[in-house]
Amino acid sequence: MPSSINLVVLETINSMSAPSSVPNRRDLLVASAAAAGALNVLPVGVPAAAFATAIAAPNVGFAGDMNAPTTSLGLRVPFLHGLPIGQISGQSEIASLERADEWLNSPPLTASALRGKVVLVDFWTYTCINWLRTLPHVRAWAEKYKDQGLAVIGVHAPEFAFEKNINNVRRSVKEMRIDYPVAVDNEHVIWRAFENQYWPALYFIDAQGRVRHHHFGEGSYEQSEMIIQALLAEAGMRGINREPVSVEAQGIEAAADWSNLKSPENYVGYDRTESFASPGGALLDKPRMYDLPVGLRLNEWALSGDWTVKSDRAALNKANGTMAYRFHARDLHLVMGPAASGPSVRFRVLIDGKAPGAARGTDIDEQGDGTATEQRLYQLIRQSKPIADRQFEIEFLTPGVEAFAFTFG
């Protein structure tokens, strides 16, 4: 048995949340690729065969439907967003951090200042449920390895225009208990330098400043931690605790119920929405009175009331507008909020025509009442088993709300 192995990393890519430029958003695309600049390191105390089984695999292609999102190794395929943006010519990955618009939790960091450290770069945007479910692991790695040479850097690259508001980002960093440095990348300069296309995305950089591995989406947490440990050992760090971090994610950060998840993310704006079912369709960029259809099929949605459907959102013009969605999942979230500088918007949620009761999400009470106070992701439903097709409705009691995307878990 050889004393070292080339680390080959299974990259998992789920295109259901990719933009409309992807040919089929419902396909699951899984690729396996060798880590750039193979490490040739066997972690201490881990049998070579077990380590190889955990993170080494031949190049594999996998396709399956969303009801069974697993790889050939039995790993759960994650959800992730996608945003294709061209690369910046001549811009190296880690040096691009110097192009950040602003830094939070840290003075500006440079490639020279980070040399000698292992760096984990985490691309995120604060309304992304897929990233939110990875955050407990990234926080735990930052804490566990901060004194052993690991620097975790979050790169906030917005998806929606309101996520460029630095006050929104600051609030999210505080509420989400992010203590590690955050580079604000409003124009996607760092994103393009890394040739990144996804949220969430992790890039593992060695002590010499070279990108050695990347992972897209949720899952594979133990494998990712093994990469961190191997890079730290390669950098000369001794006495590394090889036990993986123990994470018990709560609330909105809890892992999805993959076995019952049959509803993919769906945008509300006309550029990327699917399965809009209000009679007569959408009138683009102009106010219109909408009605709910007699019934909705699974993963169809509709509007009722006076709305303006825009390229990236739907805006409510008058009070008592409703959104309805037929879904199959434990959790339902809605990215929404009052228009910029607008007053808070009161709303009421029903599930199958009734108050949600115990099935309420963290942002409503048992009667379904809640208030949208800022533009963010709201958890509106978290139900217990058995999970079945359900009809979600949200009525906005005051005007001025803007809705951007439904996500599920």
Side-chain angles (χ1 to χ4, degrees):
M1 182 177 295
S3 60
S4 65
I5 59 173
N6 291 331
L7 302 190
V8 180
V9 184
L10 183 68
E11 300 172 0
T12 53
I13 301 174
N14 182 315
S15 67
M16 287 189 293
S17 297
S20 56
S21 59
V22 176
N24 187 342
R25 295 175 63 205
R26 299 186 189 277
D27 286 345
L28 303 180
L29 305 179
V30 178
S32 174
L39 300 182
N40 293 312
V41 174
L42 177 65
V44 175
V46 180
F51 189 60
T53 299
I55 64 173
N59 288 340
V60 193
F62 174 82
D65 71 36
M66 61 177 298
N67 298 330
T70 57
T71 71
S72 58
L73 298 182
L75 302 175
R76 186 67 63 182
V77 174
F79 286 129
L80 68 162
H81 293 309
L83 180 67
I85 295 180
Q87 184 183 19
I88 295 177
S89 177
Q91 177 71 67
S92 70
E93 294 95 341
I94 196 162
S96 69
L97 294 173
E98 300 174 24
R99 305 278 300 278
D101 299 290
E102 190 165 342
W103 284 85
L104 305 178
N105 296 337
S106 171
L109 298 175
T110 64
S112 58
L114 292 167
R115 194 169 184 85
K117 288 184 173 291
V118 173
V119 180
L120 179 65
V121 173
D122 179 23
F123 282 94
W124 66 289
T125 187
Y126 71 83
T127 62
C128 176
I129 186 60
N130 317 110
W131 169 77
L132 282 163
R133 294 193 292 241
T134 69
L135 178 59
H137 299 270
V138 176
R139 276 198 306 251
W141 296 333
E143 177 64 27
K144 178 179 177 180
Y145 298 107
K146 66 181 180 181
D147 296 326
Q148 296 183 296
L150 177 68
V152 175
I153 298 175
V155 176
H156 186 269
E159 179 172 20
F160 301 111
F162 65 81
E163 292 176 298
K164 293 185 177 183
N165 185 319
I166 189 62
N167 292 326
N168 290 347
V169 182
R170 284 197 186 99
R171 183 193 71 240
S172 299
V173 165
K174 181 178 180 180
E175 291 177 351
M176 297 170 186
R177 297 176 289 115
I178 298 173
D179 297 325
Y180 49 80
V182 172
V184 177
D185 187 29
N186 277 348
E187 303 307 319
H188 297 91
V189 174
I190 303 170
W191 175 287
R192 293 196 297 270
F194 276 79
E195 299 185 74
N196 186 51
Q197 296 187 42
Y198 303 103
W199 302 276
L202 294 173
Y203 290 84
F204 301 73
I205 300 173
D206 68 16
Q208 303 305 311
R210 300 170 297 183
V211 176
R212 302 287 292 274
H213 171 53
H214 55 264
H215 178 79
F216 303 141
E218 303 174 56
S220 299
Y221 300 116
E222 288 191 29
Q223 291 88 335
S224 292
E225 189 169 0
M226 284 182 179
I227 297 294
I228 292 171
Q229 294 170 354
L231 289 173
L232 290 172
E234 183 186 75
M237 185 57 60
R238 300 290 178 263
I240 299 170
N241 180 357
R242 299 290 179 178
E243 287 296 316
V245 296
S246 177
V247 170
E248 294 185 8
Q250 303 294 323
I252 205 166
E253 296 177 352
D257 180 2
W258 299 106
S259 62
N260 285 297
L261 184 51
K262 298 181 181 180
S263 290
E265 176 183 47
N266 199 358
Y267 293 89
V268 173
Y270 61 74
D271 272 354
R272 292 190 280 176
T273 194
E274 296 182 357
S275 302
F276 182 63
S278 283
L283 179 63
L284 309 188
D285 297 312
K286 294 182 180 179
R288 182 193 161 185
M289 288 296 298
Y290 290 89
D291 295 306
L292 299 182
V294 174
L296 291 172
R297 293 177 295 182
L298 181 62
N299 297 325
E300 287 185 338
W301 71 283
L303 297 172
S304 174
D306 190 337
W307 294 83
T308 299
V309 178
K310 304 181 180 182
S311 62
D312 63 343
R313 76 198 86 167
L316 179 63
N317 303 313
K318 296 181 181 179
N320 304 116
T322 297
M323 306 180 79
Y325 206 113
R326 189 79 174 170
F327 77 104
H328 189 118
R330 182 194 66 196
D331 303 338
L332 180 146
H333 318 95
L334 180 58
V335 177
M336 65 173 178
S341 303
S344 297
V345 177
R346 294 183 298 112
F347 61 85
R348 179 169 297 131
V349 166
L350 300 176
I351 186 165
D352 291 340
K354 301 177 182 178
R360 70 182 182 93
T362 55
D363 287 302
I364 60 173
D365 61 22
E366 291 186 352
Q367 286 70 47
D369 293 326
T371 303
T373 55
E374 64 260 335
Q375 293 166 316
R376 62 174 175 87
L377 182 143
Y378 290 78
Q379 186 187 76
L380 302 176
I381 297 294
R382 169 159 288 175
Q383 56 181 322
S384 57
K385 295 180 179 179
I387 306 300
D389 293 1
R390 312 289 294 273
Q391 180 143 326
F392 163 88
E393 294 183 16
I394 180 169
E395 180 183 10
F396 297 97
L397 308 179
T398 51
V401 74
E402 295 180 329
F404 294 83
F406 287 93
T407 63
F408 304 90

